[in-house]
RNA sequence: GGAGAGAUGGCCGAGUGGUCUAAGGCGCACGCCUGGAGAGCGUGUAUACGCCAAAAGCGUAUCGAGGGUUCGAAUCCCUCUCUCUCCGCCA
């Protein structure tokens, strides 16, 4: 959520930058400012009314103490009248505030000045790439066939137990999952991230805090009986640790990492992109989160990008890093780098990580602030997060790219975690 | 799931309708004192919104959350959430 102060002081700029995300803010922004003027006027009147009521109430106490009952009763009548007015005013104030919040929640985050123009993924800019795309042998298979051939992932069994998009990993497949999770967590903690194991369900406040609600309502599994949401990413519970918190600037940056399963309804997804591990309802992911001083959040973003890049190099996967264009960015992000690995049997790039700076957009919703030494006033912190990494597509690429006629090779870095160097029959 | 007791500032804790502008203590910050430190003394110590060009200052709201009674609520009533104790169930 953008701050009202920023919108009021930089109206033209806000509208211009929103346009890069293909969001026409002309009407909604002026409506927000109009409502804000109205809100201030109402509040001023209401505050004055309440002040008068408070004054009279005190006076009545004094009058009764002095035994002046008739004067006290006259004051009561006056106060009752004011109370009626205040009731109407506070209802008006609430209506205006609700309307204003509703509109503010519709406005996406401003893209960073460096975000490229563009409407879709094809307009994203490749920043750099690494690794080598392998040449596969003639009988090379896509990962869903490899999974069956080596009996390491059973998609059909998942359908039986739950439904599509809930695969069952077994044997070396299951062990590979565990190895990847441990490898990622170790790599992250070695870089100074504190390991967190958060709840896998969150309440409504947390879902609002990081922006899953109201924007992505319908994409999360909702446990209606208790009002909880299954987390679509560890970002939600981990970032919300700091909801309604005022930090000291010396505590920044805060660096956290967490493994969680992620649950996504993926309503509206269909077709070839959902085959095999490409798109699931439940998948494993290790996330990194940073809470940083606004002056240094872009340094942190670059650091996180290099960090994730290091992981892909360790896994010896061919990758590229793309900077998302305005049209392909998420609602809440100010700048996003996506990481893609090349899936040699599917002949396409698969997104395995998304690293973003949200600046103060989430912090404003969450009231996540910090105080500078000597400052009286708290200011909004910046939040960042990234996948480090999401497992399914990494597994897809590992299986496909490392397949040989004699089995699937496990990259060196993973071998100590797996306890084997090859998946074969 | 059942019965009971609770939720007050950064922390502890007093407060059962009007001098609550929330006592007192701890912590923290600043000042005095000191060669220095400690002790002692003094001052200050939340958040949001609004008024004001801004600062200072002032106003409003906030004693778990939301509603209600009253001229007036931390205090009385209702609903909810959470915590603790006991019982039940349980990895």
């Amino acid at each position: 959520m953008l701050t009202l102060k920023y919108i009021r002081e930089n109206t033209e700029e806000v509208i211009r930058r929103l346009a890069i995300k293909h969001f026409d803010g002309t009407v909604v922004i002026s409506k927000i400012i109009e409502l804000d003027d109205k809100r201030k006027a109402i509040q001023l009147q209401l505050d004055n009314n309440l002040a008068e009521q408070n004054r009279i109430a005190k006076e009545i106490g004094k009058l009764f103490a002095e035994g002046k009952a008739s004067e006290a009763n006259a004051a009561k009548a006056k106060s009752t009248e004011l109370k009626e007015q205040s009731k109407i005013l506070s209802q008006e104030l609430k209506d205006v505030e609700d309307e204003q919040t509703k509109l503010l929640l519709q406005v996406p985050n401003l893209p960073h000045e460096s975000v490229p123009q563009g409407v879709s993924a094809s307009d994203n800019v490749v920043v750099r790439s690494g690794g080598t795309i392998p040449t596969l042998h003639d009988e090379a298979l896509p990962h869903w066939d490899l999974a069956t051939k080596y009996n390491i992932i059973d998609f059909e069994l998942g359908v039986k137990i739950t439904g599509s998009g809930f695969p069952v990993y077994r044997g070396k497949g299951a062990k590979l999952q565990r190895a990847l999770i441990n490898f990622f967590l170790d790599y992250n903690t070695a870089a100074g991230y504190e390991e967190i194991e958060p709840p896998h369900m969150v309440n409504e406040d947390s879902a609002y805090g990081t922006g899953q609600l109201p924007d992505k309502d319908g994409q999360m599994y909702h446990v209606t009986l208790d009002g909880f949401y299954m987390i679509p990413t560890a970002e939600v519970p981990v970032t919300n640790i700091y909801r309604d918190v005022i930090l000291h600037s010396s505590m920044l940056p805060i660096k956290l990492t967490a493994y969680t399963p992620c649950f996504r309804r993926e309503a509206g997804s269909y077709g070839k992109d959902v085959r095999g591990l490409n798109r699931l309802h439940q998948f494993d992911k290790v996330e990194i989160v940073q809470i940083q001083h606004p002056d240094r959040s872009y340094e942190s973003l670059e650091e996180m990008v290099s960090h994730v890049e290091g992981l892909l190099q360790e896994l010896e996967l061919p990758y590229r890093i793309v900077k998302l264009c305005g049209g392909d960015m998420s609602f809440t992000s100010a700048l996003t780098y996506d990481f893609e690995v090349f899936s040699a049997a599917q002949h396409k790039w698969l997104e395995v990580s998304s690293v973003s700076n949200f600046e103060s957009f989430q912090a404003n919703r969450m009231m996540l602030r910090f105080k500078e030494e000597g400052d009286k006033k708290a200011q909004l912190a910046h939040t960042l997060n990234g996948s480090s990494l999401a497992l399914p597509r990494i597994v897809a690429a590992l299986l496909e790219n490392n397949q040989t006629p004699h089995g699937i090779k496990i990259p060196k870095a993973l071998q100590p975690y797996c306890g084997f160097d090859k998946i074969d029959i």
Side-chain angles (χ1 to χ4, degrees):
Chain A
M1 197 159 74
L2 299 176
T3 63
L4 266 170
K5 189 173 151 69
Y6 196 85
I7 291 175
R8 293 195 73 111
E9 288 172 3
N10 308 279
T11 311
E12 293 303 312
E13 186 209 316
V14 166
I15 290 171
R16 178 178 61 76
R17 287 171 68 185
L18 286 174
I20 296 169
K21 277 198 174 178
H22 304 281
F23 182 89
D24 182 2
T26 43
V27 175
V28 67
I29 294 295
S30 63
K31 183 75 186 161
I32 286 168
I33 293 173
E34 193 184 300
L35 283 166
D36 201 39
D37 292 335
K38 205 168 157 188
R39 176 183 64 86
K40 286 182 182 183
I42 296 169
Q43 192 185 329
L44 183 59
Q45 209 182 333
L46 177 63
D47 282 359
N48 289 339
N49 249 20
L50 291 173
E52 180 66 6
Q53 279 172 235
N54 287 340
R55 198 189 60 75
I56 291 173
K58 265 181 200 157
E59 199 177 284
I60 289 171
K62 207 178 292 174
L63 288 171
F64 273 122
E66 291 167 3
K68 297 174 182 170
S70 63
E71 284 178 50
N73 284 325
K76 269 194 197 181
K78 171 72 180 161
S79 185
T80 306
E81 193 182 308
L82 281 171
K83 200 177 162 185
E84 285 304 308
Q85 285 177 24
S86 297
K87 202 171 178 180
I88 295 165
L89 284 169
S90 44
Q91 185 57 51
E92 280 178 30
L93 184 66
K94 191 179 176 300
D95 290 346
V96 170
E97 280 174 347
D98 286 353
E99 175 72 8
Q100 190 182 37
T101 305
K102 207 176 100 192
L103 293 179
L104 272 172
L105 287 171
Q106 288 170 19
V107 180
N109 197 5
L110 300 179
H112 186 259
E113 293 291 356
S114 76
V115 165
Q117 297 274 352
V119 290
S120 71
S122 58
D123 299 313
N124 295 341
V125 176
V126 177
V127 178
R128 59 180 180 270
S129 52
T132 353
I133 294 173
T135 314
L136 299 182
H137 59 279
D138 293 341
E139 284 80 39
L141 299 169
H143 70 268
W144 47 86
D145 289 333
L146 292 168
T148 308
K149 179 177 173 187
Y150 294 107
N151 193 25
I152 48 176
I153 308 171
D154 195 329
F155 294 97
E156 298 298 317
L157 193 52
V159 171
K160 173 188 170 184
I161 298 169
T162 306
S164 75
F166 293 90
V168 176
Y169 303 87
R170 60 194 317 167
K172 284 185 173 176
K175 188 128 191 215
L176 179 60
Q177 293 289 115
R178 188 150 59 87
L180 283 164
I181 291 164
N182 286 337
F183 171 60
F184 293 157
L185 284 171
D186 284 352
Y187 187 86
N188 295 345
T189 52
Y193 290 87
E194 184 195 354
E195 185 173 342
I196 301 288
E197 184 177 316
H200 298 169
M201 291 193 230
V202 294
N203 60 29
E204 202 171 278
D205 284 347
S206 295
Y208 267 99
T210 33
Q212 275 66 32
L213 288 178
D215 326 317
K216 292 180 190 159
D217 196 14
Q219 291 298 334
M220 287 185 290
Y221 289 98
H222 191 186
V223 184
T224 51
L225 200 57
D226 296 291
F228 298 149
Y229 292 88
M230 304 291 289
I231 56 169
T233 160
E235 164 197 347
V236 182
V238 171
T239 313
N240 272 283
I241 292 172
Y242 291 94
R243 171 156 49 84
D244 293 320
V245 168
I246 298 177
L247 299 159
H248 191 277
S249 61
S250 64
M251 296 165 81
L252 303 175
I254 286 169
K255 299 168 73 177
L256 305 170
T257 184
Y259 153 72
T260 67
C262 303
F263 303 91
R264 299 186 182 180
R265 296 187 64 230
E266 300 292 357
S269 298
Y270 59 91
K272 60 180 167 30
D273 285 345
V274 307
R275 191 100 193 253
L277 294 169
N278 289 350
R279 193 175 292 280
L280 301 171
H281 289 305
Q282 179 183 324
F283 63 95
D284 294 308
K285 180 160 65 68
V286 176
E287 186 80 357
I288 49 175
V289 170
Q290 285 204 25
I291 294 163
Q292 179 60 293
H293 192 288
D295 292 347
R296 295 188 293 276
S297 67
Y298 280 94
E299 286 167 36
S300 282
L301 183 65
E302 294 306 319
E303 175 201 308
M304 288 164 77
V305 167
S306 303
H307 179 80
V308 173
E309 186 174 12
L311 266 179
L312 293 173
Q313 288 166 347
E314 290 280 322
L315 292 174
E316 302 166 51
L317 288 169
Y319 66 90
R320 65 180 191 187
I321 304 171
V322 301
K323 190 184 241 185
L324 297 195
C325 73
D328 202 28
M329 289 175 75
S330 77
F331 186 84
T332 46
S333 169
L335 183 61
T336 298
Y337 291 98
D338 270 6
F339 283 74
E340 300 174 336
V341 296
F342 194 76
S343 155
Q346 295 180 75
H347 308 290
K348 65 177 183 188
W349 292 96
L350 300 176
E351 183 195 330
V352 293
S353 175
S354 192
V355 182
S356 305
N357 188 352
F358 302 95
E359 297 191 4
S360 61
F361 195 80
Q362 291 181 330
N364 187 36
R365 280 199 194 185
M366 277 192 286
M367 292 307 271
L368 194 185
R369 291 163 297 166
F370 71 95
K371 265 187 191 174
E372 209 87 69
E373 186 65 49
D375 274 10
K376 223 177 139 72
K377 187 97 180 134
Q379 51 179 315
L380 294 170
H382 280 192
T383 61
L384 305 96
N385 69 50
S387 344
S388 175
L389 283 159
L391 271 71
R393 295 175 193 159
I394 290 287
V395 170
L398 282 176
L399 297 182
E400 293 180 10
N401 294 12
N402 295 348
Q403 61 182 302
T404 71
H406 317 291
I408 296 161
K409 293 177 297 182
I410 300 295
K412 276 215 158 44
L414 273 183
Q415 288 173 11
Y417 288 93
C418 285
F420 50 84
D421 60 4
K422 196 164 54 168
I423 296 173
D424 49 16
I425 297 172

